[in-house]
Amino acid sequence: MPTSTDRMTSAALIAMKQRGERIVCLTCYDAAFCRVLERAGVDVLLVGDSLGMVVQGQATTVPVTLEHMVYHSACVSRARERALLIADLPFLSYASGGRALDAAARLMGEGGAAMVKLEGGAELAGTVRRLTRFGVPVCAHLGLLPQSVHRLGGYRYQGRDAAGAARIRADALALQEAGAALLVLECVPAELAAALAAELAIPVIGIGAGNRCDGQVLVLYDILGLTPGRPPRFSKDFMAGRGNITEAVAAYAAEVRAGVFPGPEHTLA
Ligand code: KIV
């Protein structure tokens, strides 16, 4: 585990992958939670556009704007000391290479992000290459793509048949080749995620993708039991039976590092 003074960088995450140390990531949307997550030893803070659903009460992430992302990223950034801060490029803000550069400039310049995340496959390789060339570290996001929920028709596991799995693998290789520094894999079978984590040089962070990824990410409000209704199958309420939020987040971090979370009950084989 990194010491409390080590600053997280993309290079540090790759070194963790090479040493077989799992990367602990959580979403974070404000300064107060940033301090709690840092205290509990979280390595990567993702200012996810999930904030549209869990903070703003929207039905999907589609209405989230660049303005919202810059605001929340800046809130987290003011409190951040050690963890790597990644911010989501919101819906359609990277529909062209030029728009992606403009949006990344705001997320990094005003929002204090050290990396930006975008959802999509090989069709974004040119955009990833361009961002990277201009000094923007990029996290790719494959599998279930929440920004495409209206096209997908719902939140479903992806890559379940041979053709789907092959497409995700080809996308992952193309994005890595284009310069992506990190890959989030959401809601794919554990075998596919494990194979990709083994094949790719960049770290693979799973959510609903089994415990053989290089790290895990969850939505903070889900692990604190704050999300109304039935939680996603791949998540876990770490507040249950615990006295405070720091303890709950520390338990999540410990279970990810030990490879205990996600267990079989959170995983699609
Ligand atoms: O927006 C988000 O919180 C995300 C994670 C669920 C990976 O993209």
Side-chain angles (χ1 to χ4, degrees), residues 22 24 210-213 216 234 236 238 242 251-267:
R22 289 190 178 83
V24 179
N211 68 359
R212 283 176 290 156
C213 298
Q216 299 292 329
F234 53 75
K236 173 173 168 181
F238 282 88
R242 294 198 172 85
Y252 164 72
E255 289 198 14
V256 168
R257 288 201 172 97
V260 172
F261 177 83
E265 69 277 29
H266 309 113
T267 303

Side-chain angles (χ1 to χ4, degrees), residues 62 64 89-96 99-100 103 147:
V62 170
V64 176
L89 286 164
F91 183 61
L92 291 188
S93 67
Y94 48 99
S96 69
R99 290 190 67 180
Q147 291 176 7

Side-chain angles (χ1 to χ4, degrees), residues 219-238:
V219 170
L220 174 64
Y221 289 24
D222 289 346
I223 76 157
L224 298 181
L226 292 173
T227 307
R230 200 157 51 91
R233 162 196 178 152
F234 53 75
S235 195
K236 173 173 168 181
D237 178 359
F238 282 88

Side-chain angles (χ1 to χ4, degrees), residues 141-174:
H141 183 151
L142 290 170
L144 173 60
L145 308 179
Q147 291 176 7
S148 300
V149 62
H150 294 303
R151 177 175 57 81
L152 297 171
Y155 297 101
R156 298 194 191 88
Y157 276 78
Q158 304 293 311
R160 297 185 72 165
D161 59 16
R167 209 165 30 244
I168 290 174
R169 175 176 177 268
D171 284 338
L173 290 171

Side-chain angles (χ1 to χ4, degrees), residues 27 29 46 48-51 61 88 117 119 141 184 186 207 217 219:
T27 66
Y29 316 109
L46 171 64
D49 59 359
S50 53
L51 67 86
T61 60
D88 267 342
K117 178 163 82 58
E119 299 181 8
H141 183 151
V184 166
E186 179 164 356
I207 171 166
V217 60
V219 170

Side-chain angles (χ1 to χ4, degrees), residues 33 75 82 99 243:
F33 275 118
C75 291
R82 185 192 72 89
R99 290 190 67 180

